[in-house]
Amino acid sequence: MSEAPVRPAGSVSPARTGPNAVVAVLALAGITVSLMQTLVIPIVPELPKYLNASASNAAWAVTATLLAAAVATPVAGRLGDMFGKRLMLLVSLVLLVSGSVVAALSDSLVPMIVGRSLQGLAAAVVPLGISIMRDELPPERLAGSTALMSASLGVGGALGLPTAAFIADHYDWHVLFWTSAALGVVAFVLVMLLVPESKVRSGGRFDAVGAVGLAVGLVSLLLAVSKGADWGWTSGTTLGLFALAVAVLLAWGFFELRTGQPLVDLRTTVRRQVLFTNLASIAFGFSMFAMSLVLPQLLQLPTQTGYGLGRSMLTVGLVMAPQGLVMMAFAPVSAAITKSRGPKITLMIGAVIVAAGYGLNIVLMSEVWHLILVSCIIGAGVGFAYGAMPALIMGAVPASETAAANSLNTLMRSIGTSVASAVAGVVLSQLTISLGGVTLPSENGFKVVMAIGAGAAVLAFVLASFLPGRRPADPEPAPAPVEPTAESVH
């Protein structure tokens, strides 16, 4: 379908701003969303007490965000392509603020789950921001800006941990969510004032059936993956959800191939460049999250284990914080390599660095500085990879499908992180020691998880090697807006 670069009647767009302002505001929005996902981590052990709920029920405050994000990301991307990326970005930020306020006012389980679900619906901010950059920035600025936007995920996550730990230690836990709400309001206002609406629209009819089918399939899959350890991997509930996910996703794919205006253009996703980028994204999501599961536990386990470092959650946050800063620092390096050698090479370099970081972690894990070094090395590799992925996706899809394609790529990374959590949980629950009658993960268990993380990075390298070797074409510029004439109005 041809693009419709006509500004809708009655729409209001801000005055034209410079690219630096647009990039800064979009990166801030990305950091805000990733902060939201991290802020709850320090209080997870205390949530049962805060919400007067069992530990298994309180865990839904985390699971609900994951499920909502998985459903919202591809839907928001498609709606952004159809009706405006800036519009959907603003809607996402409104959902973030609303969810934060609901969570901040909650003292029981149900409103907390509702608030966290609303927050999860804002997960499409980063792919929408990257898509806006494609439409609004000159080609020479695009690689560096999208790399920076991708890095905002790591920056927000890394800075969120120490900030959240400090707030949780010194203030009422509700302050965490008021902070998230305040940041969301700031991001919303800045987007309204400084980010223009793209004129690149696909138009068409929204695929509601495809959206429902994808939602059911993804929720079934991710629910089984995230709750399988609690319910039992061979329980009827877990196996039933896996079977439902397979059946629904197969039927969904069949439907999407036969509908004229699908939610996800599967013919585009099977192009070699898109397919192998998405597969590598799953592997990278797995590899990145494995570190986030291992390092905090190593830091907090008691020193009596012989390998735990007995540190506080605040220390955990401070150890992990440099990783996000390294990701941002390497964003321009990633962009420079992408410009000179192509994003395929950038992605492969990132995979090698991440694998090396995990290999180093296996032999260096006895001092705090060891873990800081490892997290920075892995952060550098992830920064390379996350900067290359949007370039690969945008080099293979038309401008009218940018938001949907980037959102699907973000979803692939999320699936990787969910699988990493499940696999690491299984490994650490099987390889244990007993200390004072308490069962704890063993040192070998952590080393196995790190080895699996290195293997996932190697797999990403192999998958990236199948990408086309040529440099993808520069993205097509957004067409100039067409002002309606008297004849077109009448």
Side-chain angles (χ1 to χ4, degrees), residues 231-380:
W231 295 337
W233 292 106
T234 57
S235 72
T237 302
T238 303
L239 295 178
L241 283 170
F242 276 126
L244 179 63
V246 171
V248 170
L249 290 175
L250 285 175
W252 172 81
F254 182 79
F255 175 82
E256 292 294 282
L257 287 172
R258 290 180 172 271
T259 189
Q261 299 176 12
L263 178 74
V264 177
D265 188 347
L266 294 180
R267 292 179 177 83
T268 298
T269 62
V270 297
R271 293 176 186 168
R272 183 162 59 130
Q273 186 160 311
V274 178
L275 175 63
F276 281 98
T277 300
N278 284 333
L279 292 174
S281 296
I282 297 175
F284 258 107
F286 185 107
S287 192
M288 177 185 178
F289 201 64
M291 176 198 62
S292 302
L293 295 168
V294 168
L295 266 58
Q297 293 193 64
L298 282 174
L299 284 163
Q300 293 183 89
L301 282 173
T303 55
Q304 292 88 333
T305 60
Y307 51 89
L309 299 178
R311 303 306 176 101
S312 67
M313 176 54 90
L314 180 58
T315 302
V316 171
L318 293 173
V319 168
M320 301 290 284
Q323 177 203 17
L325 301 178
V326 168
M327 285 180 66
M328 183 162 283
F330 273 85
V333 182
S334 168
I337 296 174
T338 294
K339 287 180 180 178
S340 62
R341 303 294 303 276
K344 171 184 176 178
I345 300 300
T346 310
L347 184 59
M348 295 176 76
I349 290 173
V352 170
I353 295 173
V354 171
Y358 277 110
L360 190 63
N361 198 187
I362 293 174
V363 296
L364 288 181
M365 53 184 289
S366 58
E367 302 286 346
V368 171
W369 72 266
H370 291 170
L371 303 186
I372 295 174
L373 175 64
V374 165
S375 69
C376 288
I377 292 173
I378 294 175

Side-chain angles (χ1 to χ4, degrees), residues 103-143:
L105 294 172
S106 66
D107 285 303
S108 58
L109 182 63
V110 172
M112 173 61 76
I113 291 175
V114 171
R116 290 289 292 164
S117 298
L118 288 171
Q119 286 185 317
L121 294 176
V125 163
V126 170
L128 286 168
I130 291 172
S131 303
I132 290 172
M133 289 177 177
R134 179 183 189 180
D135 295 343
E136 299 300 325
L137 300 182
E140 65 273 11
R141 291 290 308 271
L142 188 58

Side-chain angles (χ1 to χ4, degrees), residues 141-301:
R141 291 290 308 271
L142 188 58
S145 299
T146 54
L148 183 66
M149 187 71 187
S150 294
S152 69
L153 284 170
V155 174
L159 297 182
L161 273 176
T163 303
F166 178 81
I167 292 174
D169 284 346
H170 294 86
Y171 302 96
D172 180 80
W173 64 275
H174 294 90
V175 174
L176 293 170
F177 296 102
W178 287 120
T179 302
S180 176
L183 289 171
V185 170
V186 171
F188 179 90
V189 171
L190 290 176
V191 170
M192 281 285 292
L193 294 176
L194 299 175
V195 176
E197 179 61 274
S198 168
K199 312 308 178 298
V200 181
R201 310 283 177 85
S202 65
R205 177 182 55 83
F206 180 68
D207 178 16
V209 174
V212 171
L214 183 60
V216 172
L218 287 175
V219 168
S220 302
L221 173 64
L222 294 176
L223 199 53
V225 169
S226 60
K227 289 292 187 179
D230 295 334
W231 295 337
W233 292 106
T234 57
S235 72
T237 302
T238 303
L239 295 178
L241 283 170
F242 276 126
L244 179 63
V246 171
V248 170
L249 290 175
L250 285 175
W252 172 81
F254 182 79
F255 175 82
E256 292 294 282
L257 287 172
R258 290 180 172 271
T259 189
Q261 299 176 12
L263 178 74
V264 177
D265 188 347
L266 294 180
R267 292 179 177 83
T268 298
T269 62
V270 297
R271 293 176 186 168
R272 183 162 59 130
Q273 186 160 311
V274 178
L275 175 63
F276 281 98
T277 300
N278 284 333
L279 292 174
S281 296
I282 297 175
F284 258 107
F286 185 107
S287 192
M288 177 185 178
F289 201 64
M291 176 198 62
S292 302
L293 295 168
V294 168
L295 266 58
Q297 293 193 64
L298 282 174
L299 284 163
Q300 293 183 89
L301 282 173

